[in-house]
Each structure stands twice: as C-alpha cells, then as structure tokens.
Amino acid sequence: DDDDDDDEEEENHHHHDRNAEKGKKKLITIGPTKLGQFHTGPVLGAEQLGHSTQVVSVGNDCNINIWEMTTGETSSVTGISATPSAMCTTSSGNLLFIGSTEGCLRIFDVSGRIMPRLLLTYKLFNSSITSIKVSPNQDLVALIDKDSKKIAFLDARPVNKFKVL
C-alpha cells in the first residue's frame, strides 16, 4: 500500500509541474538550416504575393528574395543596386515597390513569381524613402521621405506608365 501512495504522490507532483508550466511561455529557437538562408543582413520586410503561397522579402543586403511559404525554399534571389528603406506590394502581388536610402523608387514586376523584373526607377527625393503605400483599388502609390514634408503620388497602373502625379 505504501508503494501505491508513493505512485499517487509522484503522479500528483508531475501533474502539478505540468500546470505550473502551462502559464510559462517557451522560447523555441529554429536555426537557419531548417528555415533556409534568405538574407545575409537584416530583413526590411516581407509580404505575401497576392493570394499565392509565395512571399517576397527585401533586405539590407540589397537582395529581393521570393520564396515558397509551404516549403521554405527560396525560388529566386535578385540583387538591387541600392540599400532598400521601404517596400510594398500591390494586393494582387504583381508589383513590388522598393524605396531606397538614396530617395529612389524601383518598381518591379513580380507576376511571374520566379524572377523580379525591373520596370522603372524614379529619383523622387533627396533622402531616404521611409514609407510606401498602395491604395486599396491599386490605382495610386503614396511615398514619404525622411526629410521633406512632401508626399509623392504615382499612378500605380502599368498601362499609365507609373506617371508621377
């Protein structure tokens, strides 16, 4: 009978430990070998490309990476010639807008999901572009820079050649 009491006490002790751990958050670290190496420097941002399972990420390593969320595999890495400072995609996931620390906007076609294709580069500001937003109807792009008190607007439709408004 004493053995039964010991077993019951041990079971209650484990039950108590499990309850104590329920309130504790555990930190799980997953190394880059499981997730893949997407960038060699800090990542500026990542956005889903439309309703697909692909994501585009932009990093301070001056790379645009497109990767598959279901597998974690990178499908393309494209270098750009300036340090990115802001990014945004259209809700369709067909266009990628990247602002740089030099005040330039680069517009990429990412509709093929394989390799971003540079469509246009605009020098809009003398300082870093800090924010890019696309209107819900995808007709306009608004850009803000670090130093001035201006907002630049572009026609976001390729058919209108991304005209500055």
Side-chain angles (χ1 to χ4, degrees), residues 10-76:
E10 188 175 319
E11 187 177 308
N12 286 336
H13 178 69
H14 286 299
H15 182 69
H16 175 72
D17 286 347
R18 280 193 298 261
N19 286 338
E21 301 235 351
K22 280 184 184 176
K24 239 185 203 181
K25 292 184 180 181
K26 290 184 180 180
L27 177 64
I28 299 172
T29 304
I30 299 172
T33 53
K34 287 193 176 190
L35 294 176
Q37 180 71 38
F38 301 120
H39 291 279
T40 58
V43 176
L44 175 69
E47 292 195 20
Q48 186 173 354
L49 292 173
H51 297 291
S52 72
T53 58
Q54 285 83 34
V55 169
V56 62
S57 59
V58 176
N60 285 350
D61 57 1
C62 298
N63 283 330
I64 302 168
N65 293 8
I66 296 178
W67 49 284
E68 173 60 45
M69 286 191 291
T70 59
T71 63
E73 297 291 319
T74 303
S75 59
S76 78

Side-chain angles (χ1 to χ4, degrees), residues 64-153:
I64 302 168
N65 293 8
I66 296 178
W67 49 284
E68 173 60 45
M69 286 191 291
T70 59
T71 63
E73 297 291 319
T74 303
S75 59
S76 78
V77 177
T78 304
I80 55 177
S81 60
T83 304
S85 57
M87 71 169 285
C88 189
T89 60
T90 54
S91 60
S92 65
N94 291 332
L95 294 173
L96 168 64
F97 300 91
I98 298 177
S100 70
T101 56
E102 68 200 12
C104 287
L105 172 70
R106 287 170 175 79
I107 304 169
F108 291 87
D109 176 356
V110 289
S111 61
R113 307 289 196 262
I114 303 296
M115 187 66 69
R117 185 171 58 94
L118 180 63
L119 299 175
L120 203 56
T121 301
Y122 275 124
K123 174 73 173 169
L124 295 168
F125 301 106
N126 291 322
S127 62
S128 182
I129 295 173
T130 57
S131 181
I132 304 171
K133 299 293 180 198
V134 178
S135 65
N137 65 2
Q138 302 188 80
D139 286 350
L140 293 174
V141 178
L143 302 105
I144 300 169
D145 80 321
K146 186 174 92 173
D147 293 334
S148 75
K149 295 178 178 143
K150 298 179 199 169
I151 298 176
F153 290 96

